[in-house]
């Protein structure tokens, strides 16, 4: 069953206008609204948080808003510029999340995430990650996932929560109480339905279709079938202008796995030829399966570094062909190089001259396409332990930086130091016992202290901060890396509490 994500960006126009305000004419403290007009009518099309807190809302007449709020900043809407900004965000989502992504104009993005959510850690993590990444871009986002485009669209715009998840098969329970205005009907139709006494989608769906169709036409029935998932609503995916794409259409629909595999192999050969002509290698490729019932399925494969090896790319897709559900048949296959990077041919080393370097990129590709994130740790020039490492790509080039330490470091460093209870003499003596996670341990041996100072040049609050680290061993032979916050004398140097930061092998 397909799963559709709808991303609602209520502040898209506001954010674009503020970014385009190069002359600094707009004031951040004063409320800002975007005004749309049609003939002599002018109304609010978008409002920032300050304006909303002042009682303004989308659809309010511009004259009324200006009369109610003193110092209101009003900017005319620019649908072309907003559309261009939405297109850029949609193309970004295409490269990051799923092959089937489209604009849901004027203020949203829609994605079919079937088979792609596991790459993001599941639906919960995928949706929260979407909200956080848009927030990092300065945008407010409300995200919903459901079994249909109509349901996800409505939930994202009606709910006040950042994320909404309608469990598979439970779409009807989520949409029954939504207002009829969330059906994507015209304003005139919504007013007419409310005049007749319809307030919710559940009330409307329980009414016979014939009288509604006679008065309003077939649109209401179509929207109801779409929101309940009874009528498919295909998503036409967006594609960059310069994308490399090869496709094969069939006079007769295909469906057998061996037939699909045969044509996928041929498409990979054509794609690699096109990439070679431009000196590129693929980093992320999408196989789009167009079915005769006007639905689409997609399979995404990624590589750790640019590649155009026909045999290897064919294997990446063939390993996942069993996930394709042909249904009534497949009428077209398309292979798209979503992300391509420069790739130069390299002379293979001879084993008679020098030892051949084993390339682990294929192994990384296999693990990565199963949804596991592969990375390695690289050193960072910092004395503070948790800042001295960072995650980098598994195939990233060596920077030449190394850890220059005179003291031993644990094989496992906790993501956050954990508070412990100790018995110790201040200021320089190691603990004689430690209680961690409810278990008390007697210290048999200890070494230290190793004093580490705060990085005052990056954070002013660390000007006097310091830690004293000890390596301790308990009676069972387990070794731990602990520290005291502060020098044990001056309260300005730290809280003098003890923490466990790492575990030795």
């Amino acid at each position: 069953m397909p799963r559709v994500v709808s991303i609602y960006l209520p502040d898209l126009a506001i954010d674009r206008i503020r970014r385009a305000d190069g002359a600094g004419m707009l004031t951040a403290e004063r409320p800002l609204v975007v005004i749309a007009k049609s003939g002599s009518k002018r109304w609010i099309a978008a409002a920032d948080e300050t304006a909303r807190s002042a009682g303004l809302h989308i659809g309010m007449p511009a004259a009324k808003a200006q009369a109610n709020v003193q110092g209101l900043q009003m900017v005319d809407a620019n649908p072309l510029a907003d559309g261009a900004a939405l297109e850029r965000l949609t193309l970004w989502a295409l490269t990051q999340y799923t092959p089937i992504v489209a604009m849901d104009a004027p203020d949203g993005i829609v994605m079919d995430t079937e088979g792609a959510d596991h790459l993001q850690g599941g639906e919960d993590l995928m949706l929260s990650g979407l909200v956080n990444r848009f927030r990092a871009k300065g945008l407010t986002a409300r995200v919903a996932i459901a079994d249909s485009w109509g349901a996800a669209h409505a939930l994202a715009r009606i709910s006040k929560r950042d994320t909404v998840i309608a469990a598979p098969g439970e779409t009807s329970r989520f949409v029954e109480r939504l207002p009829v205005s969330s059906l994507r009907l015209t304003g005139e139709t919504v007013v007419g339905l409310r005049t007749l006494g319809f307030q919710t989608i559940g009330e409307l769906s329980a009414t016979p279709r014939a009288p509604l169709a006679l008065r309003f036409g077939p649109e209401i029935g179509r929207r109801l079938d779409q929101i309940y998932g009874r009528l498919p609503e295909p998503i036409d995916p967006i594609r960059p202008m310069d994308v490399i794409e090869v496709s094969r259409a069939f006079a007769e629909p295909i469906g057998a796995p061996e037939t699909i595999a045969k044509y996928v192999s041929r498409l990979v050969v054509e794609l690699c030829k096109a990439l070679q002509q431009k000196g590129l290698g693929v980093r992320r490729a999408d196989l789009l399966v167009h079915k005769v019932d006007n639905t689409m399925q997609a399979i995404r494969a990624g590589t750790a570094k640019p590649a155009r090896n026909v045999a290897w790319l064919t294997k990446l897709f063939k390993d996942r062909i069993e996930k394709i559900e042909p249904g009534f048949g497949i009428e077209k296959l398309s292979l798209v190089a979503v992300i391509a990077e420069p790739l130069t041919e390299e002379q293979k080393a001879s084993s008679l001259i020098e030892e051949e370097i084993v390339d682990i990129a294929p192994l990384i590709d296999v693990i990565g396409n199963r949804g596991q994130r592969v990375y390695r740790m690289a050193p960072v020039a910092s004395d503070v332990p948790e800042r001295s490492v960072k995650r980098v790509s598994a195939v990233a080039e060596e920077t030449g930086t190394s850890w220059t330490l005179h003291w031993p470091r644990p094989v496992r460093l906790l993501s956050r130091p954990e508070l412990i209870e100790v018995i110790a003499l201040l200021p320089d003596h190691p603990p004689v016992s430690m209680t961690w996670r409810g278990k008390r341990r007697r210290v048999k041996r200890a070494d230290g202290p190793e004093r580490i100072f705060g990085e005052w040049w990056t954070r002013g609050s660390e000007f006097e901060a310091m830690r004293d680290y000890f390596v301790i061993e308990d009676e069972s032979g387990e070794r731990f890396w602990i520290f005291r916050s502060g020098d044990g004398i001056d309260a300005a140097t730290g809280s003098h509490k003890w923490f466990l930061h790492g575990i030795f092998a």
Side-chain angles (χ1 to χ4, degrees):
M1 178 180 293
R3 297 288 283 167
V4 182
V5 172
S6 179
I7 306 171
Y8 175 44
L9 304 169
D11 295 335
L12 177 64
I14 297 291
D15 178 73
R16 179 195 59 78
I17 290 170
R18 290 199 181 278
R19 291 176 187 271
D21 184 32
M25 302 296 293
L26 299 176
T27 305
E29 292 77 14
R30 292 167 54 192
L32 172 66
V33 295
V34 179
I35 303 300
K37 57 183 178 179
S38 177
S40 59
K41 294 182 178 180
R42 300 172 72 244
W43 67 92
I44 296 177
D48 67 0
E49 186 176 354
T50 307
R52 292 194 296 267
S53 62
L56 305 184
H57 58 84
I58 296 175
M60 177 182 285
K64 182 179 179 180
Q66 194 170 15
N68 290 348
V69 179
Q70 185 177 4
L72 180 63
Q73 301 177 104
M74 306 173 69
V75 179
D76 290 336
N78 188 341
L80 292 178
D82 292 340
L86 182 62
E87 182 179 8
R88 289 193 296 271
L89 289 172
T90 307
L91 290 172
W92 168 79
L94 169 69
T95 62
Q96 299 296 317
Y97 290 97
T98 176
I100 304 179
V101 184
M103 293 190 295
D104 193 3
D107 51 14
I109 299 172
V110 61
M111 307 189 304
D112 185 342
T113 61
E114 181 185 9
D117 56 347
H118 72 283
L119 298 175
Q120 307 294 332
E123 291 182 350
D124 288 339
L125 291 178
M126 179 177 65
L127 265 60
S128 60
L130 271 166
V131 171
N132 291 333
R133 295 186 75 173
F134 276 104
R135 185 178 291 123
K137 294 177 178 290
L139 286 167
T140 300
R142 293 205 290 270
V143 188
I145 185 169
D147 293 338
S148 67
W149 182 348
H153 177 97
L155 291 171
R157 284 153 180 78
I158 296 300
S159 176
K160 301 301 181 183
R161 292 182 293 168
D162 289 339
T163 62
V164 179
I165 299 178
E170 297 186 8
T171 297
S172 58
R173 183 174 65 85
F174 277 82
V175 303
E176 281 180 349
R177 297 183 181 181
L178 297 181
V180 294
S181 58
S182 59
L183 272 176
R184 295 177 292 172
L185 298 169
T186 63
E188 183 180 354
T189 303
V190 172
V191 172
L193 290 173
R194 286 176 175 169
T195 303
L196 294 176
F198 295 106
Q199 299 296 327
T200 65
I201 293 177
E203 296 172 353
L204 192 61
S205 63
T207 303
R209 295 281 182 91
L212 293 174
L214 185 62
R215 179 163 183 169
F216 298 102
E219 184 67 9
I220 293 178
R222 187 173 72 91
R223 289 302 191 188
L224 282 172
D225 288 338
Q226 287 176 344
I227 200 169
Y228 281 104
R230 296 188 289 261
L231 182 66
E233 191 173 4
I235 299 174
D236 186 16
I238 192 173
R239 286 288 173 260
M241 294 295 294
D242 56 346
V243 70
I244 300 176
E245 179 176 0
V246 294
S247 59
R248 177 70 62 90
F250 309 103
E252 295 292 335
I254 65 172
E258 58 272 14
T259 306
I260 298 174
K262 179 179 69 174
Y263 285 107
V264 167
S265 301
R266 294 179 181 180
L267 288 176
V268 170
V269 173
E270 294 178 20
L271 182 67
C272 289
K273 287 181 179 179
L275 290 168
Q276 188 173 16
Q277 290 176 358
K278 296 187 176 183
L280 299 174
V282 67
R283 284 292 313 277
R284 192 163 296 162
D286 295 339
L287 176 64
L288 304 179
V289 181
H290 304 261
K291 305 177 186 179
V292 295
D293 59 355
N294 203 25
T295 60
M296 184 183 297
Q297 189 177 353
I299 293 177
R300 169 164 287 183
T303 58
K305 59 183 182 181
R308 57 170 179 259
N309 184 291
V310 173
W312 178 242
L313 293 176
T314 301
K315 182 182 184 304
L316 289 180
F317 281 107
K318 280 188 174 181
D319 288 346
R320 304 180 64 193
I321 282 180
E322 70 274 4
K323 296 182 178 294
I324 298 177
E325 299 176 1
F328 296 106
I330 299 170
E331 61 182 4
K332 183 181 179 182
L333 290 174
S334 300
L335 190 58
V336 186
V338 177
I339 300 179
E341 298 177 357
L343 174 63
T344 57
E345 299 290 350
E346 295 182 359
Q347 179 67 38
K348 188 175 180 180
S350 171
S351 59
L352 299 176
I353 301 174
E354 57 184 7
E355 184 178 353
E356 185 176 359
I357 299 175
V358 178
D359 187 6
I360 64 169
L363 175 61
I364 296 171
D365 294 344
V366 171
I367 299 174
N369 284 292
R370 291 175 180 171
Q372 303 296 324
R373 296 186 177 182
V374 184
Y375 60 88
R376 63 181 178 84
M377 308 305 294
V380 177
S382 175
D383 289 333
V384 181
E386 60 266 33
R387 301 176 194 164
S388 64
V389 294
K390 65 177 180 180
R391 293 183 181 184
V392 298
S393 169
V395 294
E397 296 183 358
E398 297 289 345
T399 61
T401 307
S402 62
W403 288 284
T404 54
L405 300 171
H406 303 291
W407 292 77
R409 288 292 182 261
V411 294
R412 179 190 174 192
L413 190 71
L414 301 184
S415 57
R416 290 185 178 181
E418 296 188 13
L419 185 67
I420 58 176
E421 296 179 3
V422 304
I423 298 176
L425 294 175
L426 296 180
D428 297 326
H429 290 270
V432 295
S433 70
M434 173 189 75
T435 303
W436 175 50
R437 296 181 178 179
K439 182 178 179 180
R440 186 172 182 270
R441 303 168 186 268
R442 294 184 61 85
V443 176
K444 185 177 181 181
R445 296 184 182 87
D447 188 16
E450 175 193 358
R451 178 157 293 181
I452 295 179
F453 294 91
E455 296 178 337
W456 53 266
W457 56 93
T458 60
R459 298 183 184 183
S461 59
E462 297 183 13
F463 186 79
E464 295 181 333
M466 61 183 65
R467 297 174 182 174
D468 281 343
Y469 278 86
F470 294 85
V471 179
I472 64 171
E473 180 180 331
D474 65 6
E475 293 177 322
S476 63
E478 293 185 83
R479 296 193 301 155
F480 304 93
W481 203 40
I482 65 173
F483 71 87
R484 181 189 61 239
S485 175
D487 62 0
I489 301 175
D490 188 357
T493 61
S495 63
H496 293 168
K497 294 181 179 180
W498 289 80
F499 298 84
L500 188 144
H501 204 171
I503 302 172
F504 288 90

